[in-house]
Amino acid sequence: MRIPLLSKIQRHSLQVRGYASPLVDEDSSLSHELDIPKQVHQLVNPSNYSKINLARDISQSARLEKRDIGEKMEGAIRTEKDAVHRRLDDLLDRELMPKDNPAEADLVAFLEGYHSIGSTLGCIKVLRKMRECDITPTPPQYAMVLNLACGKYQVRTIYTVAEEMRLAGLEDTNENYESFFNSLLTCLGNCNQSEMAYAVYTEMRERGLTPRHQGSHSIIVSLAKIGEIDLALQILQESVGSSITFDWKTYMGILVNASFYMHHKAYKLAFDQLTTVFGVQLTKGDYDYGLSIASKAGDYKLATSILESLGRLGYPIREREYEALFDSLIVSKKWETAFKVVGNMRQTGYGKTSRTLRTLVRELTAKPAQTERLVAEAYEAMLETSSTVPAILDTSTLNALVLSLALSVRVEAAFTRMNEWFDKHSVKRNIETYEGLLTGCGKSKGNKTVAEKTLGMMLDVDKLEPTKEIYELMIRVSLKQFNYEDAFVYLESMKAQKMAPGWPTYASIVRRCANVRDPRAKVALDEMRELGYTVTSALENYVAFNYKSGKGAYGDNDDGSDMPEHSWSGKADKDKTATLKDILGADAFKL
């Protein structure tokens, strides 16, 4: 059977696509008839006929194998490039490498051929051959290889090209090495080598070189990723001053990293550029981060802009979004506007819990020396706002103001304001009112006098039942006194109500008793175990250390032999409670 002859183009297509054909392998007429630049051109630029055949074969193969045609095409293109690379290597080794003085046009053709298939190793190989033959590549040819290496994130290749430039005797001028510095800066930035990229940027500035857009973008985003956002903004300003125009991708990189590091200035700059200049629609997460940043920085204008954007995009404005606006107003000390926001929230069913006012308490107690003045200002602003928004004047708002005074250890003033404000405005006190005041009494050395007045008012005036938290707060206040026996009174009353003290309360009892070598510390440890609490080794060691050293409250004997015969058992049964009452006095349980 006579084998039909193939055209040169068909043979070349089969060679490029890696088909083993004796007919193609034996016929090398293409190499003899065409000069080297044309051969290189045909290798790296197959004909349209070859491309069509390749696409048809791939689509048929993908359909038979039931695979994604895109994935199949990607693999075929990679295989074809490898085949072209091998043939270029063979052609270079056969035609040019043995020669001492190859033609410059032939070497340039190979350099461009390797560049077109993305082979930096092939480009370096040709550059070295050119240097050995005393042929100096032009700066654009070096720049071509540098850009290719930059796109592949090959930092080592960039340094190799720079070394070739030096060995070739290329003059160390800004014009010759500008591409090197820009490619190196871009590559280092894209590889997240931020410190090295900044060193290159600094040298470029010292040389008087202006980084290109791509290099400036890469170092700005790279520095922002590692938290050097102030430095990134500095480079951004310098680049803009050098007439470099950035697109939305640069500002998006700044915004994403500013959100992660909660950087207010960078987020605001990027947000304004993206929404105002570029008209980019951000994600809901980007807006949420922005609200958190605005609330902490006190930027109520940014918070308002974000809420307006959310409304335009159709997102529902929930309670926490409004709380972010309120927080930003509180941080910036815009009391009246902040109370208006809360009042309007309450009219729609939001902001009725103490959680909404936590930022108010935090800001009022940030500087205890100024708390009374700030509370007075906030109170006057609340009264001013209540004339138009009555919902703001309620229990939770007054509780926040009283709690702020109490946490700043102004418990006497807090007790006075509580009586005055609630009675003046006919607002009912709740259990949170007393918990906040008792929390302040428990701070520092504990103000037992105000704590007992507060407890008495809760029981006698407002007729409220003590909660577990109230009992525990009274126990902690009592434990800070020189005579801490009342702590056990409250403890027994608590357990009589079938309330189990928490682990922190038991730990406070254990430490207080251990400080004076009171054997009830060991009783408390035993009861913690009965309740299933974890008794840490630190707590046990603390008790053991204090029992071995120091003089106890009842004598010098470590076994407690000098103590009275009675002892707290930790049980809430009736007999033990009566015994404890006999010890402490008949009026001990009158709270």
Side-chain angles (χ1 to χ4, degrees):
M1 180 178 178
R2 188 167 177 265
I3 300 176
L5 295 178
L6 299 177
S7 67
K8 295 178 181 179
I9 298 297
Q10 289 173 324
R11 291 180 223 158
H12 165 65
S13 175
L14 290 173
Q15 290 172 350
V16 168
R17 288 159 58 186
Y19 287 100
S21 172
L23 182 61
V24 175
D25 292 340
E26 293 173 2
D27 189 357
S28 60
S29 60
L30 184 64
S31 300
H32 295 292
E33 295 179 4
L34 300 177
D35 57 8
I36 291 178
K38 290 184 179 180
Q39 293 182 54
V40 173
H41 178 75
Q42 287 190 359
L43 283 174
V44 300
N45 297 290
S47 65
N48 292 333
Y49 180 81
S50 301
K51 294 178 181 178
I52 293 172
N53 285 338
L54 178 63
R56 184 177 62 248
D57 294 344
I58 291 173
S59 61
Q60 291 176 355
S61 176
R63 187 161 50 251
L64 292 174
E65 298 177 8
K66 297 182 178 180
R67 291 177 57 187
D68 180 60
I69 190 171
E71 179 183 354
K72 190 77 173 177
M73 180 69 77
E74 183 180 357
I77 293 174
R78 191 184 307 112
T79 302
E80 184 177 1
K81 284 187 176 181
D82 292 341
V84 173
H85 194 289
R86 287 195 302 270
R87 289 192 53 81
L88 278 177
D89 288 341
D90 293 341
L91 186 60
L92 179 64
D93 294 339
R94 184 175 68 249
E95 299 292 340
L96 297 185
M97 295 304 287
K99 297 181 181 180
D100 294 332
N101 295 307
E104 181 177 353
D106 295 345
L107 290 171
V108 171
F110 273 100
L111 182 65
E112 293 175 351
Y114 279 118
H115 177 267
S116 65
I117 64 173
S119 174
T120 55
L121 293 178
C123 292
I124 295 295
K125 186 177 181 180
V126 175
L127 289 177
R128 286 174 178 169
K129 182 61 178 178
M130 295 176 74
R131 175 171 54 83
E132 293 172 358
C133 298
D134 295 329
I135 299 174
T136 304
T138 61
Q141 290 171 344
Y142 282 120
M144 178 177 65
V145 182
L146 287 169
N147 291 333
L148 177 61
C150 174
K152 291 177 172 292
Y153 303 158
Q154 296 177 353
V155 180
R156 186 183 297 276
T157 302
I158 294 176
Y159 280 111
T160 302
V161 175
E163 182 66 14
E164 288 295 323
M165 294 169 67
R166 185 187 67 81
L167 294 175
L170 199 66
E171 187 177 356
D172 186 8
T173 61
N174 290 344
E175 292 77 9
N176 291 337
Y177 281 84
E178 182 178 5
S179 296
F180 162 70
F181 281 111
N182 277 289
S183 298
L184 183 60
L185 177 64
T186 303
C187 188
L188 290 172
N190 291 334
C191 294
N192 295 325
Q193 300 292 330
S194 307
E195 294 82 359
M196 297 177 64
Y198 183 69
V200 173
Y201 175 82
T202 304
E203 184 172 351
M204 292 182 69
R205 300 293 293 186
E206 293 174 354
R207 283 173 168 259
L209 293 173
T210 301
R212 297 171 187 163
H213 166 268
Q214 190 175 4
S216 299
H217 165 81
S218 63
I219 189 175
I220 288 172
V221 177
S222 176
L223 288 171
K225 283 182 181 179
I226 63 172
E228 294 291 344
I229 300 181
D230 291 325
L231 191 56
L233 292 180
Q234 177 185 338
I235 295 175
L236 178 68
Q237 293 175 355
E238 293 175 354
S239 301
V240 172
S242 301
S243 302
I244 296 178
T245 304
F246 295 98
D247 57 10
W248 65 271
K249 295 179 182 179
T250 304
Y251 292 101
M252 181 60 74
I254 294 175
L255 182 133
V256 170
N257 293 287
S259 300
F260 181 79
Y261 290 103
M262 303 297 286
H263 196 286
H264 170 243
K265 181 179 179 181
Y267 184 93
K268 183 176 177 61
L269 172 65
F271 178 83
D272 292 339
Q273 289 289 325
L274 289 170
T275 56
T276 305
V277 178
F278 298 103
V280 176
Q281 180 177 332
L282 304 178
T283 64
K284 183 62 167 58
D286 294 329
Y287 288 120
D288 289 340
Y289 275 117
L291 287 173
S292 299
I293 294 171
S295 64
K296 292 185 178 181
D299 191 347
Y300 57 90
K301 294 182 180 179
L302 175 60
T304 303
S305 299
I306 293 175
L307 291 179
E308 291 175 351
S309 299
L310 289 173
R312 286 195 303 268
L313 295 174
Y315 289 107
I317 309 299
R318 295 168 295 182
E319 183 175 13
R320 65 180 185 182
E321 278 86 7
Y322 286 119
E323 287 177 351
L325 176 60
F326 170 75
D327 294 347
S328 63
L329 290 166
I330 288 296
V331 173
S332 58
K333 303 296 187 296
K334 302 290 183 181
W335 306 115
E336 292 187 16
T337 309
F339 286 132
K340 287 181 181 178
V341 170
V342 174
N344 293 330
M345 288 174 62
R346 289 174 180 170
Q347 291 177 356
T348 59
Y350 292 150
K352 294 184 177 182
T353 62
S354 59
R355 184 175 62 90
T356 303
L357 302 175
R358 62 189 183 279
T359 301
L360 173 63
V361 176
R362 185 176 66 246
E363 287 299 316
L364 292 176
T365 57
K367 296 180 180 179
Q370 302 178 10
T371 298
E372 288 195 59
R373 177 180 62 81
L374 293 176
V375 168
E377 293 177 1
Y379 175 74
E380 293 298 329
M382 182 194 65
L383 291 182
E384 189 73 21
T385 307
S386 63
S387 59
T388 56
V389 188
I392 190 60
L393 185 55
D394 65 350
T395 304
S396 60
T397 307
L398 293 178
N399 282 350
L401 298 178
V402 172
L403 177 61
S404 300
L405 289 171
L407 293 180
S408 300
V409 201
R410 304 291 196 278
V411 289
E412 293 86 356
F415 185 80
T416 303
R417 298 292 184 275
M418 180 187 69
N419 291 331
E420 175 186 345
W421 292 341
F422 281 88
D423 294 340
K424 178 179 179 180
H425 301 292
S426 301
V427 178
K428 293 187 64 175
R429 290 176 283 263
N430 58 14
I431 200 67
E432 291 183 0
T433 309
Y434 295 102
E435 287 179 0
L437 192 50
L438 290 176
T439 300
C441 293
K443 295 189 67 175
S444 187
K445 294 183 179 180
N447 194 320
K448 187 180 179 182
T449 302
V450 176
E452 290 176 344
K453 289 181 180 179
T454 303
L455 186 61
M457 178 177 290
M458 184 188 74
L459 297 173
D460 301 333
V461 178
D462 292 321
K463 308 297 182 181
L464 297 175
E465 291 294 328
T467 62
K468 173 185 174 181
E469 289 73 18
I470 293 292
Y471 278 121
E472 290 185 326
L473 288 169
M474 292 303 299
I475 290 173
R476 293 178 187 178
V477 170
S478 301
L479 289 174
K480 291 187 177 183
Q481 312 304 314
F482 179 78
N483 182 358
Y484 60 91
E485 296 297 331
D486 285 353
F488 298 104
V489 177
Y490 294 117
L491 179 63
E492 292 298 328
S493 299
M494 182 179 184
K495 294 196 296 185
Q497 299 293 327
K498 296 183 179 181
M499 300 177 185
W503 190 95
T505 302
Y506 269 117
S508 300
I509 294 173
V510 170
R511 292 191 182 95
R512 183 66 178 93
C513 292
N515 286 340
V516 293
R517 295 170 63 208
D518 188 337
R520 287 177 290 188
K522 296 182 178 180
V523 178
L525 286 176
D526 293 338
E527 186 164 336
M528 290 177 69
R529 295 187 181 94
E530 292 178 5
L531 292 174
Y533 293 142
T534 301
V535 178
T536 62
S537 58
L539 199 60
E540 291 181 326
N541 293 337
Y542 186 85
V543 174
F545 175 78
N546 283 278
Y547 268 68
K548 291 180 180 178
S549 61
K551 188 172 183 178
Y554 296 101
D556 296 330
N557 296 331
D558 289 341
D559 60 357
S561 57
D562 288 348
M563 281 192 61
E565 293 182 359
H566 58 268
S567 62
W568 170 59
S569 66
K571 305 291 183 179
D573 56 275
K574 182 177 179 180
D575 295 337
K576 296 298 181 181
T577 304
T579 304
L580 188 59
K581 184 185 296 186
D582 293 337
I583 298 169
L584 301 179
D587 298 331
F589 283 97
K590 292 182 179 180
L591 302 182

